PDB file of all heavy atoms in Angstrom:
ATOM      1  N   VAL A 139      66.706 170.577-156.455  1.00 98.00           N
ATOM      2  CA  VAL A 139      68.145 170.346-156.650  1.00 98.00           C
ATOM      3  C   VAL A 139      68.729 169.822-155.343  1.00 98.00           C
ATOM      4  O   VAL A 139      68.934 170.597-154.397  1.00 98.00           O
ATOM      5  CB  VAL A 139      68.873 171.627-157.088  1.00 98.00           C
ATOM      6  CG1 VAL A 139      70.369 171.347-157.267  1.00 98.00           C
ATOM      7  CG2 VAL A 139      68.284 172.178-158.380  1.00 98.00           C
ATOM      8  N   PRO A 140      68.995 168.531-155.242  1.00 98.00           N
ATOM      9  CA  PRO A 140      69.636 168.016-154.028  1.00 98.00           C
ATOM     10  C   PRO A 140      71.103 168.412-153.961  1.00 98.00           C
ATOM     11  O   PRO A 140      71.752 168.617-154.992  1.00 98.00           O
ATOM     12  CB  PRO A 140      69.477 166.498-154.181  1.00 98.00           C
ATOM     13  CG  PRO A 140      69.436 166.281-155.661  1.00 98.00           C
ATOM     14  CD  PRO A 140      68.726 167.475-156.236  1.00 98.00           C
ATOM     15  N   ILE A 141      71.622 168.536-152.757  1.00 98.00           N
ATOM     16  CA  ILE A 141      73.054 168.719-152.541  1.00 98.00           C
ATOM     17  C   ILE A 141      73.546 167.496-151.778  1.00 98.00           C
ATOM     18  O   ILE A 141      73.121 167.243-150.642  1.00 98.00           O
ATOM     19  CB  ILE A 141      73.360 170.006-151.760  1.00 98.00           C
ATOM     20  CG1 ILE A 141      72.911 171.230-152.562  1.00 98.00           C
ATOM     21  CG2 ILE A 141      74.856 170.089-151.449  1.00 98.00           C
ATOM     22  CD1 ILE A 141      73.204 172.564-151.890  1.00 98.00           C
ATOM     23  N   ILE A 142      74.400 166.750-152.422  1.00 98.00           N
ATOM     24  CA  ILE A 142      74.892 165.478-151.890  1.00 98.00           C
ATOM     25  C   ILE A 142      76.276 165.708-151.288  1.00 98.00           C
ATOM     26  O   ILE A 142      77.127 166.354-151.900  1.00 98.00           O
ATOM     27  CB  ILE A 142      74.967 164.424-153.012  1.00 98.00           C
ATOM     28  CG1 ILE A 142      73.593 164.284-153.686  1.00 98.00           C
ATOM     29  CG2 ILE A 142      75.452 163.082-152.481  1.00 98.00           C
ATOM     30  CD1 ILE A 142      73.632 163.507-154.994  1.00 98.00           C
ATOM     31  N   ALA A 143      76.504 165.174-150.093  1.00 98.00           N
ATOM     32  CA  ALA A 143      77.774 165.430-149.411  1.00 98.00           C
ATOM     33  C   ALA A 143      78.108 164.278-148.479  1.00 98.00           C
ATOM     34  O   ALA A 143      77.224 163.533-148.051  1.00 98.00           O
ATOM     35  CB  ALA A 143      77.695 166.735-148.621  1.00 98.00           C
ATOM     36  N   PRO A 144      79.382 164.123-148.124  1.00 98.00           N
ATOM     37  CA  PRO A 144      79.792 163.051-147.211  1.00 98.00           C
ATOM     38  C   PRO A 144      79.434 163.361-145.768  1.00 98.00           C
ATOM     39  O   PRO A 144      79.451 164.518-145.336  1.00 98.00           O
ATOM     40  CB  PRO A 144      81.310 162.991-147.404  1.00 98.00           C
ATOM     41  CG  PRO A 144      81.685 164.382-147.812  1.00 98.00           C
ATOM     42  CD  PRO A 144      80.541 164.888-148.634  1.00 98.00           C
ATOM     43  N   GLY A 145      79.120 162.310-145.006  1.00 98.00           N
ATOM     44  CA  GLY A 145      78.777 162.475-143.604  1.00 98.00           C
ATOM     45  C   GLY A 145      77.321 162.851-143.432  1.00 98.00           C
ATOM     46  O   GLY A 145      76.597 163.085-144.404  1.00 98.00           O
ATOM     47  N   THR A 146      76.885 162.889-142.199  1.00 98.00           N
ATOM     48  CA  THR A 146      75.531 163.363-141.937  1.00 98.00           C
ATOM     49  C   THR A 146      75.459 164.854-142.224  1.00 98.00           C
ATOM     50  O   THR A 146      76.483 165.552-142.263  1.00 98.00           O
ATOM     51  CB  THR A 146      75.134 163.109-140.483  1.00 98.00           C
ATOM     52  OG1 THR A 146      75.965 163.917-139.634  1.00 98.00           O
ATOM     53  CG2 THR A 146      75.283 161.630-140.114  1.00 98.00           C
ATOM     54  N   ILE A 147      74.271 165.359-142.413  1.00 97.00           N
ATOM     55  CA  ILE A 147      74.108 166.791-142.658  1.00 97.00           C
ATOM     56  C   ILE A 147      74.647 167.592-141.479  1.00 97.00           C
ATOM     57  O   ILE A 147      75.364 168.583-141.653  1.00 97.00           O
ATOM     58  CB  ILE A 147      72.635 167.121-142.933  1.00 97.00           C
ATOM     59  CG1 ILE A 147      72.191 166.477-144.251  1.00 97.00           C
ATOM     60  CG2 ILE A 147      72.418 168.636-142.981  1.00 97.00           C
ATOM     61  CD1 ILE A 147      70.716 166.567-144.526  1.00 97.00           C
ATOM     62  N   ALA A 148      74.345 167.149-140.263  1.00 97.00           N
ATOM     63  CA  ALA A 148      74.830 167.858-139.077  1.00 97.00           C
ATOM     64  C   ALA A 148      76.349 167.849-139.011  1.00 97.00           C
ATOM     65  O   ALA A 148      76.978 168.863-138.662  1.00 97.00           O
ATOM     66  CB  ALA A 148      74.246 167.221-137.820  1.00 97.00           C
ATOM     67  N   SER A 149      76.955 166.712-139.347  1.00 97.00           N
ATOM     68  CA  SER A 149      78.411 166.617-139.304  1.00 97.00           C
ATOM     69  C   SER A 149      79.046 167.497-140.377  1.00 97.00           C
ATOM     70  O   SER A 149      80.030 168.202-140.121  1.00 97.00           O
ATOM     71  CB  SER A 149      78.846 165.164-139.483  1.00 97.00           C
ATOM     72  OG  SER A 149      80.244 165.058-139.506  1.00 97.00           O
ATOM     73  N   PHE A 150      78.489 167.469-141.588  1.00 97.00           N
ATOM     74  CA  PHE A 150      79.049 168.293-142.657  1.00 97.00           C
ATOM     75  C   PHE A 150      78.944 169.768-142.292  1.00 97.00           C
ATOM     76  O   PHE A 150      79.918 170.526-142.432  1.00 97.00           O
ATOM     77  CB  PHE A 150      78.342 168.013-143.983  1.00 97.00           C
ATOM     78  CG  PHE A 150      79.091 168.551-145.175  1.00 97.00           C
ATOM     79  CD1 PHE A 150      79.971 167.750-145.876  1.00 97.00           C
ATOM     80  CD2 PHE A 150      78.928 169.874-145.584  1.00 97.00           C
ATOM     81  CE1 PHE A 150      80.683 168.242-146.965  1.00 97.00           C
ATOM     82  CE2 PHE A 150      79.639 170.388-146.660  1.00 97.00           C
ATOM     83  CZ  PHE A 150      80.511 169.567-147.361  1.00 97.00           C
ATOM     84  N   ASP A 151      77.778 170.191-141.818  1.00 96.00           N
ATOM     85  CA  ASP A 151      77.609 171.584-141.404  1.00 96.00           C
ATOM     86  C   ASP A 151      78.618 171.966-140.323  1.00 96.00           C
ATOM     87  O   ASP A 151      79.238 173.033-140.368  1.00 96.00           O
ATOM     88  CB  ASP A 151      76.202 171.803-140.858  1.00 96.00           C
ATOM     89  CG  ASP A 151      75.135 171.903-141.940  1.00 96.00           C
ATOM     90  OD1 ASP A 151      75.493 172.060-143.118  1.00 96.00           O
ATOM     91  OD2 ASP A 151      73.945 171.827-141.592  1.00 96.00           O
ATOM     92  N   LYS A 152      78.766 171.088-139.354  1.00 95.00           N
ATOM     93  CA  LYS A 152      79.660 171.364-138.226  1.00 95.00           C
ATOM     94  C   LYS A 152      81.084 171.642-138.702  1.00 95.00           C
ATOM     95  O   LYS A 152      81.720 172.624-138.284  1.00 95.00           O
ATOM     96  CB  LYS A 152      79.644 170.175-137.267  1.00 95.00           C
ATOM     97  CG  LYS A 152      80.705 170.234-136.172  1.00 95.00           C
ATOM     98  CD  LYS A 152      80.717 168.946-135.357  1.00 95.00           C
ATOM     99  CE  LYS A 152      81.879 168.919-134.370  1.00 95.00           C
ATOM    100  NZ  LYS A 152      81.919 167.644-133.613  1.00 95.00           N
ATOM    101  N   PHE A 153      81.588 170.771-139.578  1.00 94.00           N
ATOM    102  CA  PHE A 153      82.987 170.918-139.990  1.00 94.00           C
ATOM    103  C   PHE A 153      83.164 171.989-141.057  1.00 94.00           C
ATOM    104  O   PHE A 153      84.170 172.698-141.070  1.00 94.00           O
ATOM    105  CB  PHE A 153      83.536 169.577-140.468  1.00 94.00           C
ATOM    106  CG  PHE A 153      83.729 168.586-139.355  1.00 94.00           C
ATOM    107  CD1 PHE A 153      82.977 167.422-139.293  1.00 94.00           C
ATOM    108  CD2 PHE A 153      84.650 168.820-138.358  1.00 94.00           C
ATOM    109  CE1 PHE A 153      83.148 166.511-138.259  1.00 94.00           C
ATOM    110  CE2 PHE A 153      84.832 167.919-137.320  1.00 94.00           C
ATOM    111  CZ  PHE A 153      84.076 166.766-137.273  1.00 94.00           C
ATOM    112  N   ALA A 154      82.182 172.124-141.957  1.00 93.00           N
ATOM    113  CA  ALA A 154      82.300 173.125-143.012  1.00 93.00           C
ATOM    114  C   ALA A 154      82.260 174.537-142.441  1.00 93.00           C
ATOM    115  O   ALA A 154      83.058 175.401-142.831  1.00 93.00           O
ATOM    116  CB  ALA A 154      81.183 172.936-144.041  1.00 93.00           C
ATOM    117  N   ILE A 155      81.336 174.777-141.530  1.00 89.00           N
ATOM    118  CA  ILE A 155      81.174 176.117-140.981  1.00 89.00           C
ATOM    119  C   ILE A 155      82.117 176.341-139.797  1.00 89.00           C
ATOM    120  O   ILE A 155      82.768 177.380-139.689  1.00 89.00           O
ATOM    121  CB  ILE A 155      79.715 176.347-140.555  1.00 89.00           C
ATOM    122  CG1 ILE A 155      78.791 176.224-141.781  1.00 89.00           C
ATOM    123  CG2 ILE A 155      79.546 177.716-139.915  1.00 89.00           C
ATOM    124  CD1 ILE A 155      77.318 176.217-141.441  1.00 89.00           C
ATOM    125  N   GLY A 156      82.193 175.342-138.928  1.00 84.00           N
ATOM    126  CA  GLY A 156      82.959 175.510-137.705  1.00 84.00           C
ATOM    127  C   GLY A 156      84.419 175.806-137.934  1.00 84.00           C
ATOM    128  O   GLY A 156      85.035 176.599-137.212  1.00 84.00           O
ATOM    129  N   GLU A 157      85.015 175.188-138.965  1.00 78.00           N
ATOM    130  CA  GLU A 157      86.439 175.397-139.219  1.00 78.00           C
ATOM    131  C   GLU A 157      86.751 176.861-139.467  1.00 78.00           C
ATOM    132  O   GLU A 157      87.817 177.354-139.110  1.00 78.00           O
ATOM    133  CB  GLU A 157      86.869 174.565-140.435  1.00 78.00           C
ATOM    134  CG  GLU A 157      88.328 174.726-140.794  1.00 78.00           C
ATOM    135  CD  GLU A 157      88.774 173.832-141.928  1.00 78.00           C
ATOM    136  OE1 GLU A 157      88.662 174.262-143.086  1.00 78.00           O
ATOM    137  OE2 GLU A 157      89.218 172.713-141.658  1.00 78.00           O
ATOM    138  N   ASN A 158      85.800 177.580-140.080  1.00 74.00           N
ATOM    139  CA  ASN A 158      86.038 178.969-140.443  1.00 74.00           C
ATOM    140  C   ASN A 158      85.494 179.962-139.422  1.00 74.00           C
ATOM    141  O   ASN A 158      85.621 181.163-139.610  1.00 74.00           O
ATOM    142  CB  ASN A 158      85.403 179.246-141.811  1.00 74.00           C
ATOM    143  CG  ASN A 158      85.994 178.367-142.889  1.00 74.00           C
ATOM    144  OD1 ASN A 158      87.111 178.568-143.312  1.00 74.00           O
ATOM    145  ND2 ASN A 158      85.246 177.356-143.312  1.00 74.00           N
ATOM    146  N   VAL A 159      84.869 179.463-138.352  1.00 78.00           N
ATOM    147  CA  VAL A 159      84.276 180.349-137.350  1.00 78.00           C
ATOM    148  C   VAL A 159      84.979 180.202-136.008  1.00 78.00           C
ATOM    149  O   VAL A 159      85.425 181.186-135.411  1.00 78.00           O
ATOM    150  CB  VAL A 159      82.766 180.066-137.204  1.00 78.00           C
ATOM    151  CG1 VAL A 159      82.184 180.899-136.066  1.00 78.00           C
ATOM    152  CG2 VAL A 159      82.040 180.379-138.516  1.00 78.00           C
ATOM    153  N   VAL A 160      85.100 178.971-135.527  1.00 78.00           N
ATOM    154  CA  VAL A 160      85.644 178.744-134.187  1.00 78.00           C
ATOM    155  C   VAL A 160      87.050 179.329-134.051  1.00 78.00           C
ATOM    156  O   VAL A 160      87.380 179.971-133.052  1.00 78.00           O
ATOM    157  CB  VAL A 160      85.654 177.233-133.863  1.00 78.00           C
ATOM    158  CG1 VAL A 160      86.328 176.978-132.537  1.00 78.00           C
ATOM    159  CG2 VAL A 160      84.217 176.703-133.837  1.00 78.00           C
ATOM    160  N   ALA A 161      87.879 179.120-135.061  1.00 77.00           N
ATOM    161  CA  ALA A 161      89.234 179.689-135.055  1.00 77.00           C
ATOM    162  C   ALA A 161      89.404 180.635-136.236  1.00 77.00           C
ATOM    163  O   ALA A 161      90.496 180.767-136.798  1.00 77.00           O
ATOM    164  CB  ALA A 161      90.270 178.575-135.103  1.00 77.00           C
ATOM    165  N   GLY A 162      88.332 181.326-136.593  1.00 79.00           N
ATOM    166  CA  GLY A 162      88.327 182.114-137.826  1.00 79.00           C
ATOM    167  C   GLY A 162      89.363 183.205-137.874  1.00 79.00           C
ATOM    168  O   GLY A 162      90.059 183.370-138.878  1.00 79.00           O
ATOM    169  N   ASN A 163      89.502 183.995-136.802  1.00 84.00           N
ATOM    170  CA  ASN A 163      90.481 185.084-136.816  1.00 84.00           C
ATOM    171  C   ASN A 163      91.900 184.553-136.942  1.00 84.00           C
ATOM    172  O   ASN A 163      92.716 185.065-137.723  1.00 84.00           O
ATOM    173  CB  ASN A 163      90.345 185.927-135.551  1.00 84.00           C
ATOM    174  CG  ASN A 163      89.123 186.833-135.587  1.00 84.00           C
ATOM    175  OD1 ASN A 163      88.499 186.992-136.629  1.00 84.00           O
ATOM    176  ND2 ASN A 163      88.781 187.412-134.456  1.00 84.00           N
ATOM    177  N   ALA A 164      92.222 183.557-136.156  1.00 85.00           N
ATOM    178  CA  ALA A 164      93.572 182.991-136.197  1.00 85.00           C
ATOM    179  C   ALA A 164      93.846 182.369-137.559  1.00 85.00           C
ATOM    180  O   ALA A 164      94.929 182.546-138.137  1.00 85.00           O
ATOM    181  CB  ALA A 164      93.735 181.944-135.095  1.00 85.00           C
ATOM    182  N   MET A 165      92.868 181.641-138.088  1.00 86.00           N
ATOM    183  CA  MET A 165      93.053 180.986-139.380  1.00 86.00           C
ATOM    184  C   MET A 165      93.214 182.009-140.508  1.00 86.00           C
ATOM    185  O   MET A 165      94.035 181.829-141.410  1.00 86.00           O
ATOM    186  CB  MET A 165      91.882 180.049-139.671  1.00 86.00           C
ATOM    187  CG  MET A 165      92.083 179.213-140.911  1.00 86.00           C
ATOM    188  SD  MET A 165      90.674 178.139-141.259  1.00 86.00           S
ATOM    189  CE  MET A 165      90.721 177.062-139.824  1.00 86.00           C
ATOM    190  N   ALA A 166      92.444 183.098-140.437  1.00 86.00           N
ATOM    191  CA  ALA A 166      92.547 184.120-141.470  1.00 86.00           C
ATOM    192  C   ALA A 166      93.948 184.729-141.488  1.00 86.00           C
ATOM    193  O   ALA A 166      94.560 184.880-142.547  1.00 86.00           O
ATOM    194  CB  ALA A 166      91.501 185.202-141.242  1.00 86.00           C
ATOM    195  N   ARG A 167      94.446 185.059-140.311  1.00 88.00           N
ATOM    196  CA  ARG A 167      95.774 185.667-140.223  1.00 88.00           C
ATOM    197  C   ARG A 167      96.844 184.710-140.769  1.00 88.00           C
ATOM    198  O   ARG A 167      97.715 185.096-141.538  1.00 88.00           O
ATOM    199  CB  ARG A 167      96.069 186.025-138.766  1.00 88.00           C
ATOM    200  CG  ARG A 167      97.474 186.536-138.498  1.00 88.00           C
ATOM    201  CD  ARG A 167      97.712 187.899-139.113  1.00 88.00           C
ATOM    202  NE  ARG A 167      99.041 188.384-138.764  1.00 88.00           N
ATOM    203  CZ  ARG A 167      99.645 189.365-139.383  1.00 88.00           C
ATOM    204  NH1 ARG A 167      99.057 189.982-140.382  1.00 88.00           N
ATOM    205  NH2 ARG A 167     100.847 189.748-139.015  1.00 88.00           N
ATOM    206  N   ARG A 168      96.769 183.464-140.368  1.00 90.00           N
ATOM    207  CA  ARG A 168      97.734 182.478-140.850  1.00 90.00           C
ATOM    208  C   ARG A 168      97.596 182.271-142.359  1.00 90.00           C
ATOM    209  O   ARG A 168      98.598 182.076-143.062  1.00 90.00           O
ATOM    210  CB  ARG A 168      97.542 181.165-140.103  1.00 90.00           C
ATOM    211  CG  ARG A 168      97.921 181.235-138.624  1.00 90.00           C
ATOM    212  CD  ARG A 168      97.320 180.108-137.811  1.00 90.00           C
ATOM    213  NE  ARG A 168      97.880 178.823-138.162  1.00 90.00           N
ATOM    214  CZ  ARG A 168      98.571 178.043-137.340  1.00 90.00           C
ATOM    215  NH1 ARG A 168      98.778 178.431-136.096  1.00 90.00           N
ATOM    216  NH2 ARG A 168      99.033 176.885-137.727  1.00 90.00           N
ATOM    217  N   SER A 169      96.369 182.321-142.852  1.00 88.00           N
ATOM    218  CA  SER A 169      96.144 182.126-144.285  1.00 88.00           C
ATOM    219  C   SER A 169      96.743 183.263-145.102  1.00 88.00           C
ATOM    220  O   SER A 169      97.255 183.042-146.202  1.00 88.00           O
ATOM    221  CB  SER A 169      94.645 182.014-144.574  1.00 88.00           C
ATOM    222  OG  SER A 169      94.114 180.831-144.007  1.00 88.00           O
ATOM    223  N   PHE A 170      96.661 184.515-144.598  1.00 89.00           N
ATOM    224  CA  PHE A 170      97.271 185.623-145.323  1.00 89.00           C
ATOM    225  C   PHE A 170      98.763 185.391-145.511  1.00 89.00           C
ATOM    226  O   PHE A 170      99.332 185.725-146.552  1.00 89.00           O
ATOM    227  CB  PHE A 170      97.071 186.945-144.560  1.00 89.00           C
ATOM    228  CG  PHE A 170      95.637 187.354-144.375  1.00 89.00           C
ATOM    229  CD1 PHE A 170      95.259 188.106-143.274  1.00 89.00           C
ATOM    230  CD2 PHE A 170      94.666 186.986-145.289  1.00 89.00           C
ATOM    231  CE1 PHE A 170      93.932 188.485-143.090  1.00 89.00           C
ATOM    232  CE2 PHE A 170      93.338 187.363-145.115  1.00 89.00           C
ATOM    233  CZ  PHE A 170      92.975 188.113-144.014  1.00 89.00           C
ATOM    234  N   TYR A 171      99.405 184.825-144.499  1.00 92.00           N
ATOM    235  CA  TYR A 171     100.823 184.493-144.604  1.00 92.00           C
ATOM    236  C   TYR A 171     101.041 183.317-145.567  1.00 92.00           C
ATOM    237  O   TYR A 171     101.823 183.403-146.514  1.00 92.00           O
ATOM    238  CB  TYR A 171     101.374 184.141-143.219  1.00 92.00           C
ATOM    239  CG  TYR A 171     102.076 185.274-142.505  1.00 92.00           C
ATOM    240  CD1 TYR A 171     101.487 186.532-142.390  1.00 92.00           C
ATOM    241  CD2 TYR A 171     103.325 185.086-141.938  1.00 92.00           C
ATOM    242  CE1 TYR A 171     102.136 187.561-141.735  1.00 92.00           C
ATOM    243  CE2 TYR A 171     103.980 186.115-141.277  1.00 92.00           C
ATOM    244  CZ  TYR A 171     103.391 187.348-141.182  1.00 92.00           C
ATOM    245  OH  TYR A 171     104.041 188.369-140.534  1.00 92.00           O
ATOM    246  N   ALA A 172     100.356 182.213-145.309  1.00 91.00           N
ATOM    247  CA  ALA A 172     100.631 180.989-146.063  1.00 91.00           C
ATOM    248  C   ALA A 172     100.290 181.115-147.538  1.00 91.00           C
ATOM    249  O   ALA A 172     100.994 180.575-148.397  1.00 91.00           O
ATOM    250  CB  ALA A 172      99.866 179.812-145.440  1.00 91.00           C
ATOM    251  N   PHE A 173      99.210 181.838-147.857  1.00 89.00           N
ATOM    252  CA  PHE A 173      98.763 181.928-149.241  1.00 89.00           C
ATOM    253  C   PHE A 173      99.104 183.264-149.889  1.00 89.00           C
ATOM    254  O   PHE A 173      98.574 183.598-150.948  1.00 89.00           O
ATOM    255  CB  PHE A 173      97.261 181.658-149.332  1.00 89.00           C
ATOM    256  CG  PHE A 173      96.891 180.270-148.903  1.00 89.00           C
ATOM    257  CD1 PHE A 173      95.899 180.057-147.968  1.00 89.00           C
ATOM    258  CD2 PHE A 173      97.547 179.164-149.416  1.00 89.00           C
ATOM    259  CE1 PHE A 173      95.549 178.771-147.558  1.00 89.00           C
ATOM    260  CE2 PHE A 173      97.219 177.878-149.014  1.00 89.00           C
ATOM    261  CZ  PHE A 173      96.223 177.678-148.091  1.00 89.00           C
TER     262      PHE A 173
END
C-alpha cells in the first residue's frame, strides 16, 4: 500500500511532524482556545 504525498518524503515528514513538536506546547494551548 503506497502512501502518496506532496513534496519529498523528508520535506513532508519535517512539516507534518515538526509543526506539532517544535512548538507543540504553545500550539496546543492556543488550539484549546481557538477550537
